[in-house]
Amino acid sequence: MLETEARWPDEAAAQATAERLAAALLPSPDALIELHGPLGAGKTTFTRLLLRALGVQGRIKSPSYAVMESYELPGGAGTASHFDFYRFGDPREWEDAGFRDVFAAPGLKLCEWPEKAAGQLPPADLQLFIDLLPDDSRRVRAVGKARLVEALK
C-alpha cells in the first residue's frame, strides 16, 4: 500500500486528478475505490469527473436514494457502479440489497460512505479521504495500490 496527499484548489484540479486516475484504470477498469469525507466534501463531484474521464456520456445521477447507479463504459471497457451507502443504518443492508454479486463481478466500484457498509466490502484498491478546507479547497489523502496512488501524484 502506498499513500500520498494532494490539494485541489478548485474543480479543475479535481478533474485533472480524475483524468490521471482514469488513465491508470483503463483499458478495463476493475477496482474498488472508496470515497471518504463529510457531506459537501466533493465525493459525488469527483465520481462524476472520473466517470466522465472514463468516457461515460449522458446524465450521471447521484445514487443517494437508489443506493447504486451503474454505467456501461465505452468501447467494451466494462461496467462502473457508483454506490452511496449514506442512508444505510446497518451494514447488513448491503447483503440484503444483493450487492455481493455486484462486488464479486469484474468492474469499477465507486463507494461513497463505505463505513456504513463496514465489514461487508472487500478490501479497497484505493481509498480517497477528502477534506473540505475553509477556503473551499480540498485536501485529499490517497491510500492504496501503488499504480493507482502514483496516478494521483
Side-chain angles (χ1 to χ4, degrees):
M1 292 298 221
L2 195 60
E3 184 172 335
T4 192
E5 195 169 291
R7 188 167 177 141
W8 297 337
D10 52 29
E11 192 170 315
Q15 181 175 347
T17 300
E19 289 170 0
R20 288 191 306 274
L21 182 56
L25 290 166
L26 290 171
S28 298
D30 185 20
L32 169 56
I33 299 174
E34 293 181 354
L35 296 115
H36 299 265
L39 285 171
K43 298 179 297 294
T44 300
T45 297
F46 183 76
T47 298
R48 283 188 181 119
L49 293 170
L50 179 58
L51 291 171
R52 287 272 180 250
L54 289 168
V56 174
Q57 301 294 313
R59 186 164 181 241
I60 297 174
K61 301 185 297 183
S62 172
S64 293
Y65 294 99
V67 182
M68 181 183 88
E69 295 288 343
S70 290
Y71 303 91
E72 287 302 315
L73 299 174
T79 302
S81 298
H82 179 196
F83 298 86
D84 185 333
F85 298 124
Y86 180 74
R87 299 192 182 287
F88 274 25
D90 183 321
R92 289 175 297 199
E93 290 179 61
W94 182 88
E95 181 75 35
D96 294 343
F99 292 143
R100 183 172 304 285
D101 291 340
V102 176
F103 280 83
L108 180 62
K109 289 90 174 171
L110 300 154
C111 299
E112 297 185 44
W113 302 98
E115 60 276 7
K116 299 273 190 160
Q120 302 298 316
L121 299 176
D125 296 293
L126 179 65
Q127 294 177 298
L128 296 178
F129 299 88
I130 305 170
D131 292 316
L132 176 59
L133 301 177
D135 65 359
D136 283 339
S137 68
R138 306 308 195 262
R139 179 178 47 237
V140 183
R141 186 169 59 92
V143 179
K145 292 187 174 176
R147 72 179 177 88
L148 299 178
V149 173
E150 288 290 338
L152 302 177
K153 291 184 176 181

